[in-house]
Amino acid sequence: MKNVFRLSACLSLFVALFSACGPDTAPAAAPGSAVTVSADAAKVEKPQLTFGFIKLTDMAPLAIAKEKGYFEEEGLYVSVEAQSNWKNILDRVIDGQLDGSHMLAGQPIAAGAGFGRQAELVTPFSMDLNGNGITVSNDVWSKMQPHVKMGADGKPVHPIPADALKPVIKDYQNDGKPFKMGMVFPVSTHNYEIRYWLAAAGIHPGMYTAGNIQGQVDAEVLLSVTPPPQMPATMEAGTIYGYCVGEPWNQQAVFKGIGVPVTTNYGIWKNNPEKVFALRKDFVEKYPNTTKSITKALIRAGKWLDEPGNRAEAVSILSRPEYVGADSIVLANSMSGTFEFERGDKREMPDFNVFYRYDATYPFYSDGVWFLTQMRRWGQIPETKDATWYDETIREIYRPDLWRSAAESLVAEGKIPAGDIPETDGYKPATDEFIDGKTYDGRDPISYINSFTIGNKDAQTK
């Protein structure tokens, strides 16, 4: 018999148990609730928790873990709070105002690798794959269109490379106007994706230096930070001419009739990692059982999100003002397995948002190393590093051991099949599924960095 039981049958025991846990405890569920509590719940050291998030669809595992009762089944009483921007999230996690958070994958990595505010953060859980897009204003799109390859159906062939944007940028330069685009944070996937897309077409997106922390040295496109929910309005105001952001803010531009997405990040790097759930290292060390229970609940949420038939309910939940707060029609455009480019040009894209399939929740070292290569490529890591440094650095931040411990408990409880635990040393096989066809092998980061025409180069060392 699985080691689980009905909370309603053992309420008095849990009230006594949590009462003994000190000031971090939370009240037990109401009598008669149908919550089935995991055996691991009794071991939780800190049941009352506050997590942060930004209003993006890829915060979905947090919303689902709360709304479907997965946190509660793990003995956790969680508040989830929307934050104003990514810097605020980072600062509040480091300062202890948040116990953990939906976070840009690059944030815990940069915090441990020497760029920006330094702290010891770890991630036991990867929140999703894909989910971003690059959108340009209607005016820019009209100027790109003559340079866009068209299919037999008369529609643009996707992904649209930045080659189509190159002559538009040239026209702006000839008129003495800088070409400006937005991304959400200096160490965001969005920053690296838009840079990758531009550089693949020979457009220089700028370098970071000690004297230019905006990353605009030698830039042909000036990239600046804009919080995700403000992207459409900022572009509509003409402050930027395009942006890279997560959903629903690309589809919002289509819905409002102010812009056109020209590619998704699936087209830039197929099944690329996106957000993570991050905790302080000292939290993990002080509350190992709590960390395990958090991870279990999030893994279950990811699984639920990718099960057939659940996306409509997920959209309904995410549309609430306390979560993403966008219109359900806009959210459904991408969450239901489609993506709309120009108005009416809606295409099947079943892998635009992936939360569990393809081992999406597993924090692969190779995913983290990719972010480190981009930090080095663009100058955020100013000094040459050898391959050993990349491996040693990411092992301190990405924690598949924590994920595996949680997943093995879920297997024992019958919550996930044993086959959902990948057999891996933490590194994915090399892949060339990038828009420029470059091959990335996380075990050989130096060769990857040196394969690019634009960006830093390093000496190959063993």
Side-chain angles (χ1 to χ4, degrees), residues 384-425:
T384 296
K385 306 289 186 182
D386 61 25
T388 300
W389 178 86
Y390 287 86
D391 179 73
E392 291 176 348
T393 298
I394 207 59
R395 286 177 185 271
E396 292 294 319
I397 303 161
Y398 272 40
R399 295 290 301 276
D401 58 314
L402 300 176
W403 183 96
R404 187 172 294 275
S405 174
E408 287 172 350
S409 285
L410 291 174
V411 170
E413 295 167 2
K415 303 286 177 53
I416 66 171
D420 286 359
I421 298 180
E423 295 182 8
T424 177
D425 62 356

Side-chain angles (χ1 to χ4, degrees), residues 352-367:
F352 180 79
N353 284 119
V354 176
F355 295 98
Y356 190 79
R357 291 173 291 119
Y358 316 129
D359 302 318
T361 65
Y362 188 96
F364 284 95
Y365 296 138
S366 47
D367 289 347

